[in-house]
Structure formats: C-alpha cells, structure tokens
Amino acid sequence: METFDSAKRLLHEAASSFGCEEVELHEADNRILAVDIVADRDYPPFNRAAMDGYAFRFKDWKRGMRIYEIVEVIYAGAQHKQELKKGQCYKIMTGAACPDGTNVIIKSEDAIEESDTVSFTVDRLAEFQHIARRGEDVKQYEIVVHAPQKCNSQLISVLAALGVSRVPVYILPTVSVVTTGSEVVQPNLPISHFQIRNSNQFLLRSLLKKWSIIPKFCTHVVDDMLSLQAVLMEALKNKITIINGGVSAGDADYIPMVMKRLGVEVLFHKVSIKPGKPILVGQTTSGGIIFALPGNPLSCLVTFTVFVEEYLYRSFQYKERVIYKLPMLESRSKKSNLTEFFPVKIHPSDGRLCMLTYNGSGDITAVLGADGIAIHPHDITEIVQQSCIYFYRL
C-alpha cells in the first residue's frame, strides 16, 4: 500500500503534456494557457490622461502662471493638432493622449473656465499629476502572463488588451467516465427501497467541466465481469478513464480483475488515506491512465480532488499545485495512522476553517456547503485549535 506522498510521486512520473493548440479568445474560458504572453508595446502606449481636466507644461506653473489660454480640446482616441506655447493649455478628457511637453493635469473640479481661459483653485501641483505615464504598467516585450495558468475572466480581459485574438492552450484530454453498481440507478428512473441514485456520475461530470472537459464516453454498468470488460474495452480508448465503484475487496468488486485481463499496468492499488483507501490507478499499453475511484460520494470527491486533479495539473505542466493554508476554528483528533481528509468551510467573519458534520463517506450531504477538503497528516494525532492546516479549495 502506497502512502499519500508516494502515490502522488507516481502520478507525477506518469503525467505528460496533452499537446498544444490555439483557440479563439471567446473560447478560452477555463482553458490552460500553454505559452507565456509578452507585451506587444508599452502599456499605457502613451502618457494618458487619468482625469478630465487641463494639461499644460509644469514649468509654466513653476514660473508663476495661474491663468492659461485653452487652445484645443483633446478627446480619447484623437491626436492633438496644435503645439503649446507659453501660458497655453489643452482641455483634455480621460483616456486621451497627453501631447509631448505636457506633464501635469489639473482636474476639472479644481478649475474655473471663462471663455477661452482657465484658472485653478489649487495651490500645489506635482509633476505628472493625474497622468498615467507611458509604460508604467507594462514595458514592451515584458512577460505579462506566465504559463501555465487557467484562463479566467480577468486573464482573458488582459489577453484582449494585449491583442491576443487566438490563445495558445493545452489540448484537453479525451475522458471516459464509467460508474458501476447493480444497486445504482439514474436520477430520472424509478427506484426501489434498496437502490441508490447515480450521484457520482453527475459529480464527476461537473468536476471535469471546471476544466472544460466533457466526457467523450460516459455510461453506467452493473456488477458483471463480462459487462464491465466489454464497457472498459471501449472506455480505455480515451486518454483518461475514470471508473467509480467496484474497486474494493467485496465479492462484486471486479475492477482489479478486469484491469488485469485488459493488460493494464497497475501503478498503485490502495493508498493509506481515509476516505478513498481502495483507489486503483493504472496505465494502458497505449499510454492512457485509469483512475478507479471508490463509490461512496465523499470518497469519490476526495480521490478526484487529490489524485485526478493532481494528474491534470502535472499534465498541464504546472510545476507546483497551489494548496491553501488557514487556521482551524476547532481541534480535530484521529486514531488512525492514515492521512485523513475532511470537508471544511471558511468561516465568513474571521477566515478560519470550520469542520462540517457528516456521517461517514457515504453521507450524500457530507460536502454540502464545503469550501474545501482539508488534510489531517498521517503523523499528527491531533490538530489543535488555531493551528494552520492545508486544504484543497473546491
């Protein structure tokens, strides 16, 4: 049986890039950026007016001039036509380019305009006041966005500003999702007293969707070895196969035997964690990877979060996965020498982690309202109140 850390190392060794492609900017949401993005020019590309106001030469102010002739109005996107002479100014709008030589702006609220002249109600100025200077945000050829990085709304906005219309991203892997169990039925079908609904199929589809991955193959199969073998022969054609259920040590847990029949090389089977101990991970002869996750809802979520997503991060070329750390609101004890995972919520007023109450890994509401999955290390018996612990954000 592998430890949690050794199992992760095996996943890191198995991970490799899915390759790269370009997508249109409007299709880049949640895709993983594959190439560093550099600035095509300075930003701002010119000295930009940060306020509606009046732009003039600071040296005129230092000479004692307090009344200025307005020679031109400059709007955003327009180029000035007249050059300033001594004692002259431009009326300028926010976002407009400040002509060479103008190096101070007094905002409109501090000005008194009469006919073609303007005076001001302020006594002190600073050079480049209310002017965003060329290149102060980003210099030309500077790396603005480092890859890999998920393309969220903020990043996409920056890409658009940089003129990136086609975004280099990592190719999404083809994925199969196979849920198992003779007692499991789809949510829209009639259910008997001794059956349960297939929540994990929808959990897995939703978790994959956060990576913009839509399963290419998705089905449910009963606990029958020949049926499982037939379904998995088709499922394993994809890059990643996620199987849920049938991986423990019960009489109807056929997944390990079927994997052997199909020539799958087992990377590890069973990890010293709770919940999720029975997890099996293997590789096909064609380089695909199989994650056989336990069937209980919390076990399914935990093993996807800490193993499947770990593999995705490495395959998308992340050097390190961000794991968060916050103090605990209360203490937590354990008796096992396993690494334990438990659902937590971030307290809204003080930011500490609160444990959620649940009745074991089969509890369908165990993670309802959870902000993350916290880690109780194998070698720590008690997490004391106020001590900081690591957790995976959901």
Side-chain angles (χ1 to χ4, degrees):
M1 182 164 58
E2 299 290 340
T3 66
F4 177 49
D5 289 335
S6 64
K8 285 200 300 181
R9 283 195 295 270
L10 289 169
L11 278 182
H12 294 170
E13 293 170 5
S16 60
S17 173
F18 302 124
C20 302
E21 64 180 352
E22 286 189 347
V23 298
E24 297 293 334
L25 183 60
H26 69 272
E27 298 173 326
D29 291 84
N30 291 324
R31 297 296 298 271
I32 307 299
L33 186 72
V35 177
D36 293 344
I37 303 297
V38 301
D40 60 324
R41 58 178 182 168
D42 290 339
Y43 287 88
F46 47 79
N47 285 355
R48 184 186 66 221
M51 293 276 187
D52 293 338
Y54 300 85
F56 52 90
R57 298 178 300 187
F58 186 63
K59 64 182 180 181
D60 286 353
W61 181 272
K62 292 181 72 175
R63 290 171 178 160
M65 296 180 182
R66 297 296 181 266
I67 299 176
Y68 294 83
E69 177 191 2
I70 303 169
V71 297
E72 186 178 352
V73 180
I74 304 176
Y75 295 93
Q79 186 174 4
H80 71 286
K81 298 176 182 177
Q82 297 190 50
E83 300 298 328
L84 282 188
K85 297 178 181 177
K86 183 179 178 181
Q88 294 180 332
C89 72
Y90 300 107
K91 187 174 185 178
I92 197 165
M93 305 300 152
T94 303
C98 298
D100 292 342
T102 56
N103 52 3
V104 68
I105 291 175
I106 295 180
K107 59 185 180 181
S108 298
E109 294 89 332
D110 295 329
I112 301 171
E113 186 177 328
E114 296 180 3
S115 187
D116 293 332
T117 64
V118 63
S119 58
F120 304 105
T121 58
V122 294
D123 297 323
R124 296 181 180 181
L125 296 184
E127 193 171 6
F128 292 102
Q129 174 178 294
H130 302 317
I131 294 175
R133 302 183 69 175
R134 175 177 175 171
E136 73 175 19
D137 296 336
V138 178
K139 298 291 186 185
Q140 187 177 26
Y141 307 126
E142 180 181 342
I143 296 177
V144 183
V145 183
H146 289 271
Q149 191 172 158
K150 185 173 281 193
C151 294
N152 57 21
S153 303
Q154 305 94 294
L155 192 149
I156 287 173
S157 172
V158 171
L159 294 178
L162 293 169
V164 179
S165 60
R166 289 186 61 79
V167 186
V169 295
Y170 285 108
I171 293 172
L172 297 173
T174 56
V175 176
S176 297
V177 172
V178 179
T179 54
T180 70
S182 298
E183 79 284 14
V184 178
V185 298
Q186 293 301 99
N188 61 325
L189 296 179
I191 190 167
S192 76
H193 184 67
F194 300 104
Q195 292 178 312
I196 60 172
R197 295 188 176 93
N198 194 352
S199 61
N200 285 344
Q201 183 183 101
F202 293 87
L203 168 64
L204 291 169
R205 290 170 71 110
S206 178
L207 291 167
L208 288 166
K209 195 172 183 180
K210 296 179 187 302
W211 295 84
S212 293
I213 297 172
I214 306 298
K216 190 174 181 180
F217 181 86
C218 185
T219 193
H220 180 78
V221 60
V222 297
D223 293 321
D224 173 78
M225 188 175 292
L226 292 179
S227 299
L228 276 168
Q229 186 168 325
V231 167
L232 292 179
M233 284 179 67
E234 183 65 26
L236 297 185
K237 294 177 182 178
N238 289 314
K239 179 66 179 175
I240 299 174
T241 300
I242 302 173
I243 306 166
N244 184 242
V247 72
S248 297
D251 291 347
D253 290 324
Y254 299 126
I255 294 300
M257 288 182 283
V258 174
M259 292 292 97
K260 187 175 181 179
R261 284 187 178 188
L262 295 176
V264 172
E265 178 190 356
V266 175
L267 293 180
F268 55 86
H269 184 196
K270 296 183 180 178
V271 180
S272 56
I273 62 172
K274 181 183 179 182
K277 180 180 177 181
I279 183 173
L280 183 153
V281 176
Q283 283 184 303
T284 66
T285 54
S286 60
I289 192 162
I290 303 99
F291 294 90
L293 312 181
N296 278 336
L298 181 58
S299 301
C300 181
L301 175 62
V302 166
T303 49
F304 183 96
T305 300
V306 303
F307 292 116
V308 179
E309 288 199 329
E310 188 75 22
Y311 179 81
L312 288 173
Y313 273 107
R314 281 299 169 124
S315 297
F316 288 132
Q317 304 303 294
Y318 283 85
K319 291 181 180 178
E320 296 291 338
R321 179 183 182 181
V322 174
I323 303 179
Y324 298 86
K325 193 174 186 180
L326 283 176
M328 281 282 285
L329 183 64
E330 60 241 297
S331 299
R332 183 184 193 271
S333 299
K334 69 179 180 71
K335 297 178 180 179
S336 75
N337 60 354
L338 305 176
T339 298
E340 294 189 2
F341 299 93
F342 57 98
V344 289
K345 185 176 181 63
I346 300 173
H347 195 282
S349 62
D350 64 13
R352 289 182 291 175
L353 294 177
C354 314
M355 293 187 293
L356 297 183
T357 303
Y358 64 98
N359 299 309
S361 61
D363 188 338
I364 64 168
T365 63
V367 294
L368 195 62
D371 294 312
I373 300 294
I375 306 170
H376 192 150
H378 70 94
D379 56 349
I380 296 176
T381 302
E382 183 179 16
I383 299 172
V384 298
Q385 185 181 20
Q386 300 298 340
S387 62
C388 287
I389 62 167
Y390 289 102
F391 70 104
Y392 294 93
R393 287 298 301 262
L394 293 176

